[in-house]
């Protein structure tokens, strides 16, 4: 099973201002702002020269999946080529639990993702490869 870092997600209240901040650290926009109606969020992916990625997430309204989240770090995302083995690893090591069903992610060409919570209270996202 292959697991690798995919991106880090940040909740923001202004995507354009956040882009300006991350540009100072060498990040540039990757594509345009995406409207994710599955989770009621605006999304913008940023990437640096080393292919490190940051996802900026802004709620659309009170129905947003992050409506009650604090600004700042929201989640860390991994990509795996084997969801079953990943879930088995999670369960065997009692690292945490999954709290969403599979969701189509418009930011990733509708690849399926799901979210979970690690025992240290960090939210993680899995992007299926």
């Amino acid at each position: 099973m292959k697991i690798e870092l995919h991106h880090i997600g940040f909740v923001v209240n202004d995507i354009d201002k956040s882009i300006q901040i991350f540009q100072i650290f060498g990040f540039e926009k990757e594509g345009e702002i995406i409207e994710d109606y599955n989770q009621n969020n605006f999304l913008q992916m940023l990437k640096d020269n080393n292919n490190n990625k940051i996802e900026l997430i802004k709620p659309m309204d009170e129905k947003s999946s992050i409506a009650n989240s604090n600004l700042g770090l929201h989640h860390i995302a991994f990509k795996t080529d084997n969801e079953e083995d990943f879930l088995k690893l999670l369960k065997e090591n009692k690292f945490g639990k999954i709290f969403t069903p599979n969701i189509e992610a418009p930011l990733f060409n509708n690849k399926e993702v799901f979210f979970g919570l690690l025992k240290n209270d960090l939210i993680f996202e899995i992007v299926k490869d």
Side-chain angles (χ1 to χ4, degrees):
M1 170 183 54
K2 181 178 169 184
I3 301 173
E4 60 185 52
L5 181 65
H6 189 269
H7 69 272
I8 299 173
F10 290 91
V11 176
V12 300
N13 57 13
D14 187 319
I15 287 180
D16 291 328
K17 285 183 182 178
S18 296
I19 290 170
Q20 291 173 356
I21 292 168
F22 281 107
Q23 283 176 329
I24 293 169
F25 302 111
F27 285 86
E28 295 295 330
K29 287 177 22 173
E30 184 178 65
E32 297 301 319
I33 293 174
I34 299 291
E35 296 175 353
D36 181 349
Y37 292 103
N38 295 328
Q39 299 185 72
N40 290 345
N41 295 319
F42 296 106
L43 308 171
Q44 175 68 61
M45 188 61 75
L46 306 176
K47 184 169 80 170
D48 71 4
N49 290 335
N50 294 315
N51 206 32
N52 297 307
K53 295 181 181 180
I54 292 174
E55 177 186 25
L56 303 177
I57 314 159
K58 179 183 176 191
M60 287 182 176
D61 54 33
E62 66 280 345
K63 295 178 185 174
S64 165
S65 62
I66 59 162
N68 297 316
S69 295
N70 294 325
L71 296 176
L73 177 65
H74 180 261
H75 67 270
I76 186 166
F78 298 98
K79 182 169 68 170
T80 183
D81 60 351
N82 191 319
E83 177 186 359
E84 285 183 32
D85 282 352
F86 177 84
L87 293 172
K88 184 178 175 184
L89 177 72
L90 191 70
K91 186 176 181 178
E92 286 175 354
N93 292 284
K94 300 178 184 175
F95 287 150
K97 61 183 178 181
I98 306 303
F99 65 81
T100 68
N102 291 337
I103 303 166
E104 284 188 2
L107 188 60
F108 309 126
N109 297 318
N110 292 322
K111 285 185 179 180
E112 288 189 335
V113 301
F114 60 89
F115 290 87
L117 186 65
L118 295 175
K119 286 212 166 206
N120 65 358
D121 292 331
L122 179 65
I123 296 172
F124 67 91
E125 177 181 12
I126 297 299
V127 179
K128 295 183 183 183
D129 196 13

